[in-house]
Amino acid sequence: MFTGLIREIATVKNFVGSNLSIRSKYKAKLGDSIAINGACLTVVTVEHDGFSVELSPESQKLLAIENYKNEVHIEPAMAMGDRFEGHIVQGHVDTVAIVEDIKNNGNSYDVYMKIDKKYIPYIVPKGSITIDGVSLTVNDVYEESFRLTIIPHTMKETLFKNYKKGSRVNVETDMFARYIAHILQHQNSTTNSLSWDEVDAISATF
């Protein structure tokens, strides 16, 4: 489990075949789970100046793999007792979105992103979303896109500073929205449909 708060912008040493080698200040251990640009990956090799992870063909097909070069966001998995910030992030990337536009408002930036419309039900206005591992709040949701507002600090301290129109980014939608949508989608196939009170009770357990 992760929080969507980037702990370091690390450097890609090389990416050959399925092996991604990272130079980082963070001292990883063999078998650690680390989110790299929002994708939960397992450390398979520990090196003196970083670590390596392995990306399966399925991962390489799903992710915005062109961004796994130069610099990447990393966040180690939460440890028991860690302070919880951001929001609950699984490191399970749902899909890739495309940056449609970035508008500089002086004290903030509006970032518009286009996404396959089948994921729109899982994107909630004023809810949470993860973009390349960064926990953000959704401002507006449209038929096939959504709008984020990025403060200057986030723009400067994350890879958002490199994004431009046409950039592709990894997206993990809100876990609770996915679960509730799944429950509602399948309630008609059960003999005993769930009420909204039951949905609230289920969501409250997470």
Side-chain angles (χ1 to χ4, degrees):
M1 182 181 295
F2 306 91
T3 65
L5 296 183
I6 304 306
R7 302 304 179 184
E8 183 181 343
I9 295 182
T11 304
V12 175
K13 291 197 291 185
N14 55 68
F15 189 1
V16 180
S18 62
N19 188 269
L20 175 67
S21 181
I22 301 292
R23 180 181 292 109
S24 70
K25 296 177 183 177
Y26 177 73
K27 302 301 181 183
K29 296 181 179 64
L30 192 66
D32 278 358
S33 293
I34 298 182
I36 303 180
N37 283 356
C40 179
L41 299 169
T42 301
V43 174
V44 296
T45 305
V46 176
E47 300 153 4
H48 74 279
D49 60 349
F51 59 92
S52 293
V53 296
E54 190 167 4
L55 283 83
S56 68
E58 179 69 19
S59 293
Q60 295 192 45
K61 181 180 177 181
L62 172 65
L63 303 175
I65 207 68
E66 67 272 20
N67 295 333
Y68 287 78
K69 59 183 180 181
N70 301 324
E71 295 181 320
V72 290
H73 294 141
I74 67 170
E75 182 192 353
M78 289 184 67
M80 187 67 71
D82 280 354
R83 178 178 174 179
F84 191 90
E85 303 175 84
H87 75 281
I88 295 176
V89 176
Q90 294 178 299
H92 301 164
V93 173
D94 294 309
T95 188
V96 167
I98 299 173
V99 176
E100 282 191 311
D101 196 12
I102 301 175
K103 294 182 178 179
N104 187 341
N105 299 321
N107 62 348
S108 66
Y109 298 82
D110 280 339
V111 181
Y112 296 81
M113 295 196 172
K114 183 177 178 60
I115 194 169
D116 188 321
K117 63 182 180 181
K118 74 179 181 180
Y119 295 101
I120 290 294
Y122 314 138
I123 302 175
V124 182
K126 308 309 177 185
S128 297
I129 197 166
T130 311
I131 304 296
D132 272 351
V134 182
S135 172
L136 296 165
T137 300
V138 178
N139 276 339
D140 291 312
V141 181
Y142 312 108
E143 289 188 3
E144 297 183 38
S145 62
F146 56 93
R147 179 176 68 88
L148 308 168
T149 297
I150 310 297
I151 63 173
H153 175 80
T154 301
M155 184 65 74
K156 179 183 177 182
E157 300 298 330
T158 70
L159 297 180
F160 266 83
K161 63 179 179 283
N162 299 332
Y163 297 159
K164 57 184 182 299
K165 186 175 181 178
S167 294
R168 302 197 319 147
V169 294
N170 295 335
V171 176
E172 180 181 332
T173 57
D174 183 73
M175 180 181 75
F176 299 122
R178 294 198 308 270
Y179 283 6
I180 292 173
H182 180 81
I183 291 168
L184 294 177
Q185 182 180 352
H186 290 84
Q187 70 174 346
N188 290 333
S189 63
T190 63
T191 53
N192 297 315
S193 297
L194 291 173
S195 67
W196 277 108
D197 287 339
E198 290 170 315
V199 171
D200 286 340
I202 291 171
S203 64
T205 64
F206 289 98

